[in-house]
Amino acid sequence: QVQLVESGGGLVQAGGSLRLSCAASGRTISTYTIGWFRQAPGKEREFLAALQLSEGSTYFADFVQDRFTISRSNPKNTVNLQMDSLKPEDTAAYYCAAGQYAGWRALERPNSYHYWGQGTQVTVSS
């Protein structure tokens, strides 16, 4: 069993930054890839970035390049999403998820992930 707990959401002004964290735990967690997604009201869940815990490899959706970065920190299975230059359209609920690596393109799809956190809200004011 894998457990994921997100933290770090909140209200920020446009142009500001937020750092989201995903604390991942479970006996086999090191074999998983952690992905970050977001979902705005009325929209589909959208892939942002992923990090492979076993190797530290990372992958990003094209549209977040240069604004979002993904990293791991101690405890070593904490995966962070640093978001800079935030825009009002970044307002959404943000989720982390754990899935087995099956190629980066596959990991862009929510149904490639087996476990999900409860989500954390990010609101960017204009």
Side-chain angles (χ1 to χ4, degrees):
Q1 189 75 5
V2 169
Q3 293 184 326
L4 304 168
V5 179
E6 300 102 332
S7 61
L11 174 65
V12 63
Q13 288 189 331
S17 298
L18 277 177
R19 187 191 197 209
L20 307 182
S21 294
C22 175
S25 61
R27 188 174 60 84
T28 60
I29 189 61
S30 62
T31 67
Y32 282 83
T33 295
I34 304 298
W36 278 99
F37 288 78
R38 69 184 181 189
Q39 189 166 21
K43 294 189 176 182
E44 293 186 351
R45 195 159 292 193
E46 181 176 48
F47 171 78
L48 302 172
L51 185 148
Q52 196 175 10
L53 288 175
S54 60
E55 299 183 8
S57 302
T58 61
Y59 178 73
F60 295 88
D62 288 342
F63 73 93
V64 303
Q65 292 274 9
D66 300 326
R67 290 202 304 131
F68 294 3
T69 56
I70 192 170
S71 64
R72 62 192 299 174
S73 62
N74 287 323
K76 65 176 181 179
N77 293 324
T78 296
V79 178
N80 308 300
L81 184 70
Q82 176 69 37
M83 305 186 294
D84 299 319
S85 303
L86 284 164
K87 307 172 184 179
E89 51 264 42
D90 293 318
T91 295
Y94 283 69
Y95 299 88
C96 66
Q100 294 290 346
Y101 181 80
W104 290 120
R105 297 290 286 183
L107 287 170
E108 292 180 359
R109 299 192 297 267
N111 62 9
S112 294
Y113 294 81
H114 311 294
Y115 302 97
W116 290 84
Q118 81 286 355
T120 186
Q121 179 67 34
V122 171
T123 302
V124 184
S125 64
S126 56

